[in-house]
């Protein structure tokens, strides 16, 4: 008997394998031992700054290490993950894991949700929970599919014998959507690296009919000045400039020496906690709970995600020129929606964003940061639903 929301449409071309997370006790015991034995750095001027201007503080790392050992329970996270239907399927020799909520409605709209780094499918679980509470399988107006990108969590890593990047990920995800029954069309949503993948899906694949993003990394469009911008928009540009100046050290390491940092962070769970925990502290509007941070780090550790997941950063080195807004490799001709959150890494003005695509929907919010699906799931869900309900009738009428 299938689980609620767990029946794929009859148009599916493949029968994915149902998946349940089950981490062996030996792995959990090893993790606990490594946490216990992990040595912390001595106190320094830099790691003693309470504003964390130089990175995570010793006090924070000590407190998180203690909570990881004393009170955090992976079994609770595992049970939560397993409360959602999951599958694996093979595409181009890669095992792709995905979470999904499938509707029984014949006219349900397929939506592909693309995470980024240091995220995972966990990012979208709060949104899926909202859909589960609002609808039943027979009333859900959408099919919601959340894949683990190649190299992340329960998906296999990218190939070892050739280069692999976001265009390859887009090709694999487009094939996933076709395989599970949505060759006639779907909507893609993404943030972080997922925004680049979603954009490439919209530009390169006919089956991706529309795209919704919550971040757009771009330079100043030609001919646009600050004269017409309000103070909030100017602060957003300043935030992006500050990120490019002071917040990109990790990106340079990922892009230029992924092998080295991959080995380093595979040797100590505390090192992984410091490296990724910093992002969960800095890239948000309001602090994420320690439990969420530990859940994400634990998942990364248990699945050896970090060294397998940072390959896309190599695309940025040597630095590539920002494409012109009308570059066909960049410009979204299809319906394009956007959600703007003030503490995003690049909270750029609408006048900039609309030069990069056929912007037909704009949602602007007073709260939220880079991890919008975690921080503001209700707001992101509302925007996505409004956008999809606005554009899909026109899409279906032109099929």
């Amino acid at each position: 008997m299938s689980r609620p929301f767990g029946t794929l449409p009859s148009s599916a071309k493949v029968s994915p394998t149902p998946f349940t997370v089950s981490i062996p006790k030996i792995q959990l015991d090893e993790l606990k031992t490594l946490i216990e034995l992990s040595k912390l750095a001595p106190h320094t001027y830099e790691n003693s700054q309470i504003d964390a201007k130089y990175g995570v503080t010793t006090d924070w790392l000590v407190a998180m290490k203690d909570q990881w050992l004393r009170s955090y329970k992976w079994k609770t996270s595992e049970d939560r993950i397993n409360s959602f239907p999951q599958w694996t399927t093979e595409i181009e020799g890669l095992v792709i894991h995905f979470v999904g909520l499938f509707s029984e409605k014949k006219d349900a709209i397929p939506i592909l949700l693309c995470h980024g780094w240091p995220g995972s499918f966990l990012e979208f679980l709060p949104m899926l929970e909202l859909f589960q509470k609002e609808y039943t399988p027979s009333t859900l107006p959408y099919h919601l599919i959340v894949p683990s990108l190649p190299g992340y969590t329960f998906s296999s890593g990218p190939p070892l014998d050739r280069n692999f990047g976001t265009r390859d990920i887009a090709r694999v995800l487009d094939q996933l959507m076709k395989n599970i029954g949505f060759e006639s069309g779907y909507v893609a949503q993404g943030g972080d690296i997922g925004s680049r993948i979603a954009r490439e899906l919209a530009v390169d694949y006919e089956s991706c009919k529309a795209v919704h993003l919550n971040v757009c990394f771009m330079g100043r469009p030609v001919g646009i000045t600050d004269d017409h911008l309000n103070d909030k928009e100017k602060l957003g540009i300043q935030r992006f400039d500050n990120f490019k100046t002071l917040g990109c050290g990790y990106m340079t390491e990922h892009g230029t020496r992924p092998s080295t940092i991959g080995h380093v962070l595979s040797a100590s769970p505390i090192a992984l906690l410091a490296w990724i925990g910093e992002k969960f502290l800095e890239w948000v509007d309001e602090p994420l709970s320690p439990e969420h941070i530990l859940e994400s780090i634990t998942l990364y550790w248990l699945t050896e995600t970090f060294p397998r997941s940072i390959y896309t950063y190599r695309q940025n080195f040597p630095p590539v020129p920002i494409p012109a807004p009308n570059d066909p490799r960049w410009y979204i001709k299809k319906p394009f929606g956007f959600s703007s959150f003030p503490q995003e890494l690049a909270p750029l003005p609408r006048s900039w964003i609309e030069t990069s695509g056929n912007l037909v929907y704009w949602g602007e919010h007073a709260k939220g940061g880079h991890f919008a699906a975690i921080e503001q799931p209700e707001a992101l869900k509302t925007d996505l639903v409004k956008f999809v309900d606005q554009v899909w009738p026109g899409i279906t009428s032109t099929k």
Side-chain angles (χ1 to χ4, degrees), residues 355-392:
T355 67
S356 75
N358 175 29
L359 188 69
V360 298
Y361 179 88
W362 176 269
E364 188 159 336
H365 302 279
K367 294 182 178 180
H370 187 64
F371 302 102
I374 303 170
E375 299 175 66
Q376 298 293 328
E378 184 67 66
L380 186 62
K381 171 181 175 289
T382 297
D383 278 0
L384 180 59
V385 165
K386 286 182 178 178
F387 168 69
V388 171
D389 291 352
Q390 172 187 321
V391 303
W392 193 259

Side-chain angles (χ1 to χ4, degrees), residues 125-356:
L125 297 190
M127 278 181 58
L128 296 189
E129 288 171 345
L130 293 174
F131 281 106
Q132 282 181 321
K133 290 176 182 177
E134 185 174 354
Y135 299 103
T136 66
S138 62
T139 62
L140 180 65
Y142 318 98
H143 301 290
L144 301 151
I145 300 90
V146 186
S148 295
L149 302 184
Y152 288 76
T153 66
F154 303 107
S155 288
S156 60
L160 299 180
D161 59 350
R162 65 183 187 274
N163 198 16
F164 196 86
T166 53
R167 291 186 71 182
D168 299 292
I169 298 172
R171 184 181 66 251
V172 169
L173 295 189
D174 180 70
Q175 191 60 53
L176 170 68
M177 295 299 281
K178 291 174 179 176
N179 285 353
I180 60 177
F182 308 123
E183 190 165 11
S184 62
Y186 60 87
V187 177
Q189 198 288 326
D192 192 77
I193 293 166
S195 70
R196 182 167 180 168
I197 296 165
R199 181 180 288 272
E200 290 173 342
L201 283 166
V203 171
D204 290 342
Y205 295 93
E206 176 59 29
S207 45
C208 181
K209 302 298 185 181
V211 63
H212 179 276
L213 308 178
N214 52 281
V215 67
C216 181
F217 295 106
M218 61 184 294
R220 182 187 299 274
V222 176
I224 289 187
T225 68
D226 290 352
D227 297 342
H228 69 290
L229 300 180
N230 59 40
D231 290 343
K232 180 181 178 181
E233 291 172 323
K234 291 177 181 178
L235 284 174
I237 296 172
Q238 181 181 344
R239 177 171 171 81
F240 187 34
D241 288 341
N242 290 341
F243 171 72
K244 290 186 289 184
T245 302
L246 300 173
C248 285
Y250 80 97
M251 188 183 299
T252 302
E253 184 70 21
H254 288 189
T256 62
R257 294 295 185 269
S259 176
T260 302
I261 192 63
H263 283 300
V264 169
L265 298 189
S266 295
S268 166
I270 294 298
L272 185 67
L273 172 62
W275 191 263
I276 294 180
E278 176 189 273
K279 311 313 173 194
F280 285 130
L281 294 175
E282 290 188 356
W283 294 357
V284 295
D285 190 352
E286 297 179 356
L288 299 181
S289 71
E291 291 77 13
H292 175 84
I293 296 174
L294 291 174
E295 179 178 72
S296 293
I297 305 301
T298 303
L299 179 63
Y300 261 49
W301 181 269
L302 294 173
T303 56
E304 299 182 313
T305 287
F306 180 81
R308 303 186 298 123
S309 68
I310 58 174
Y311 57 94
T312 58
Y313 286 92
R314 290 188 287 103
Q315 296 176 213
N316 301 320
F317 295 91
V320 295
I322 298 286
N326 60 353
D327 187 327
R329 289 293 314 132
W330 173 257
Y331 189 85
I332 301 171
K333 295 180 181 179
K334 297 168 184 175
F336 170 32
F338 196 87
S339 293
S340 178
F341 295 91
Q343 294 305 306
E344 177 55 77
L345 302 179
L348 299 178
R350 177 173 182 167
S351 59
W352 288 29
I353 304 296
E354 62 190 5
T355 67
S356 75

Side-chain angles (χ1 to χ4, degrees), residues 11-77:
S11 54
K13 299 177 180 179
V14 299
S15 297
T17 302
F19 181 82
T20 301
V21 179
S22 181
I23 302 297
K25 183 176 184 297
I26 190 172
Q27 278 187 256
L28 299 174
D29 290 343
E30 179 190 65
L31 172 57
K32 182 177 181 180
T33 298
L34 290 171
I35 297 171
E36 289 173 334
L37 296 178
S38 292
K39 185 176 180 180
L40 274 65
H43 282 284
T44 65
Y45 172 81
E46 291 82 7
N47 64 34
S48 301
Q49 302 303 301
I50 59 174
D51 61 1
K53 66 180 293 186
Y54 297 116
V56 295
T57 66
T58 298
D59 288 347
W60 181 82
L61 207 52
V62 167
M64 290 294 283
K65 177 179 179 178
D66 182 71
Q67 184 165 339
W68 210 353
L69 287 171
R70 311 301 174 200
S71 60
Y72 173 74
K73 304 297 182 187
W74 167 252
K75 186 62 168 60
T76 301
S77 296

